[in-house]
Amino acid sequence: MSFQQMQQDAPVLKYPEDFSPHPSISVETAASMLLRAIQTSQNLPYHWTFIDKPQEGQIYLLFMPNPALPLNDGIRWQDQENRFSMPVQRGAREIEVAEVKYGFIPNSQDTSAWRIRRRYRLHKGGHPQLVLVHYSRVPAIQIVPSLLNTPVRQYPLRQITDPPIYVMGDKMGQKAFTQAPGPHQGGMPPVGMNPQAMIAQQNSNMEALERRRERERTRDGSGSAVGQRPGPPRLEDDESADESELLSTRTLALTRYRRNHELMEEVFKQAAFGTKKSPPPKRIYEAFDKAELEAKAAKLQDEVGALQAKAVERMAQKVAADDVMVLASGHTPMEIII
């Protein structure tokens, strides 16, 4: 299925990861999500799927080659979709919002039209084909009786067998096949296989390659009897010979596995088996000299004593000066106090 085959009721390309529901999102939040999606979509394939009867608060990230096409989501809308644009990111970008109100799901428990859908896309300063779809709630209105039980698409929906596809980046347009090739084709095991099954499949692939190599040697060998299994290969002093041509695939893999682990052991031996006990932390007072601190304390004590003596002397001088002034005025100290 190519991008051009998308129609009104055709499946859409959806971002593989789900978003947590939110009752409402702002325009700035939608713009930030679309900007982040440009980076995360470089190496993730989008999946073909149907958006059908979404719940309140659900969020979808879609890749729509033609965002102007209608989006069939299993909801009957009693209003026309309105489009408007506004600046975001301090005017650096412009986002388009396509809003349609008063929707309901036919043949369901909906007794009023209360659904609203908003489609956001950065048509300036972003990727215009990435569309963020959010479903929310508006004040309900009455459902038109003639539309109450009229579905908007045919059920059941067809099963989708098309593989995911990359929509941007270096792999843009390439399909992502999740099934692994058979033993005769080699390749990596499928995602999700447990470790025991992965090892068993790898061993099976190696044994199949080894048997095929033996058959080729038997067929190409000269001087050996028909049906006789050839002996081990003879090692010659040929520096150009590759070790993969002289050893079986399984033996070569095991040898490289042991060699790599021995090298890694030498690298991480000290970290894994070195001294585990760390030295005790130093005490906070070890950096100071006790004798020096005592000398400084004694010096400070002498300075404090000298300052105190000066303060007492100044106080005595002040009292004496006050008495002289009182005697010079001809009054006794008691009379001045009264």
Side-chain angles (χ1 to χ4, degrees):
M1 178 179 294
S2 63
F3 292 158
Q4 289 75 16
Q5 292 175 334
M6 294 180 61
Q7 299 176 359
Q8 178 178 353
D9 199 19
V12 295
L13 283 168
K14 186 180 79 70
Y15 186 74
E17 299 179 2
D18 296 328
F19 297 93
S20 57
H22 289 276
S24 63
I25 59 175
S26 63
V27 177
E28 291 290 340
T29 301
S32 300
M33 295 176 67
L34 288 171
L35 289 175
R36 288 197 301 268
I38 297 176
Q39 301 297 328
T40 57
S41 301
Q42 298 291 327
N43 300 315
L44 287 178
Y46 278 52
H47 294 255
W48 293 102
T49 187
F50 288 101
I51 296 181
D52 190 58
K53 303 175 183 178
Q55 300 300 318
E56 179 185 359
Q58 280 195 274
I59 301 174
Y60 299 94
L61 179 61
L62 308 179
F63 180 84
M64 302 183 67
N66 188 359
L69 290 177
L71 177 63
N72 194 343
D73 50 12
I75 298 177
R76 173 72 68 178
W77 300 100
Q78 297 187 158
D79 193 11
Q80 297 294 326
E81 191 172 42
N82 299 316
R83 298 176 183 269
F84 56 91
S85 301
M86 61 177 61
V88 291
Q89 303 285 329
R90 297 182 180 180
R93 295 173 175 84
E94 188 170 321
I95 191 171
E96 181 188 74
V97 184
E99 181 182 271
V100 59
K101 299 180 181 179
Y102 311 124
F104 67 95
I105 299 177
N107 297 320
S108 69
Q109 298 179 354
D110 288 354
T111 57
S112 59
W114 52 269
R115 302 174 185 268
I116 181 175
R117 181 189 70 197
R118 293 187 177 95
R119 294 193 287 174
Y120 304 90
R121 71 184 186 98
L122 289 171
H123 66 100
K124 290 184 181 180
H127 199 296
Q129 294 175 322
L130 286 180
V131 181
L132 188 73
V133 185
H134 180 244
Y135 293 86
S136 185
R137 175 186 292 268
V138 292
I141 64 172
Q142 186 177 1
I143 298 176
V144 178
S146 60
L147 303 177
L148 183 59
N149 297 320
T150 305
V152 294
R153 61 176 19 151
Q154 294 182 356
Y155 292 96
L157 300 174
R158 70 176 180 87
Q159 185 178 2
I160 300 176
T161 58
D162 301 275
I165 189 171
Y166 293 93
V167 299
M168 60 182 65
D170 297 335
K171 300 180 181 180
M172 180 178 178
Q174 298 181 16
K175 296 180 180 180
F177 295 95
T178 57
Q179 295 183 354
H184 64 284
Q185 298 175 344
M188 295 296 294
V191 178
M193 181 178 292
N194 56 54
Q196 291 79 8
M198 292 172 61
I199 296 174
Q201 182 174 356
Q202 291 176 357
N203 292 336
S204 177
N205 294 343
M206 292 179 181
E207 292 174 359
L209 292 173
E210 185 176 358
R211 288 194 299 268
R212 185 177 66 179
R213 188 183 298 271
E214 294 293 341
R215 289 194 299 268
E216 292 176 354
R217 289 172 179 170
T218 304
R219 183 174 60 252
D220 298 338
S222 60
S224 59
V226 178
Q228 180 181 359
R229 184 173 182 178
R234 183 170 56 91
L235 300 179
E236 298 179 355
D237 296 335
D238 185 6
E239 296 181 356
S240 63
D242 188 8
E243 61 178 344
S244 62
E245 296 295 333
L246 304 176
L247 301 174
S248 65
T249 306
R250 186 174 186 178
T251 304
L252 180 61
L254 291 174
T255 303
R256 289 178 175 174
Y257 179 83
R258 294 193 187 98
R259 182 180 61 187
N260 293 339
H261 276 264
E262 289 174 357
L263 294 175
M264 297 303 294
E265 181 183 4
E266 293 295 331
V267 174
F268 295 104
K269 181 184 296 184
Q270 183 63 28
F273 304 104
T275 304
K276 298 297 182 65
K277 296 182 179 180
S278 59
K282 295 183 178 180
R283 296 182 179 181
I284 190 172
Y285 299 107
E286 290 183 0
F288 301 96
D289 187 1
K290 183 177 180 181
E292 182 181 357
L293 292 177
E294 291 178 349
K296 290 183 178 180
K299 182 179 179 181
L300 292 175
Q301 189 66 31
D302 295 339
E303 293 178 355
V304 170
L307 292 175
Q308 289 178 349
K310 289 182 179 181
V312 172
E313 183 180 356
R314 289 179 180 178
M315 183 62 67
Q317 292 177 357
K318 184 178 180 182
V319 172
D322 292 340
D323 293 341
V324 171
M325 291 177 62
V326 171
L327 293 175
S329 61
H331 299 282
T332 64
M334 184 61 67
E335 293 175 347
I336 297 297
I337 295 174
I338 294 175

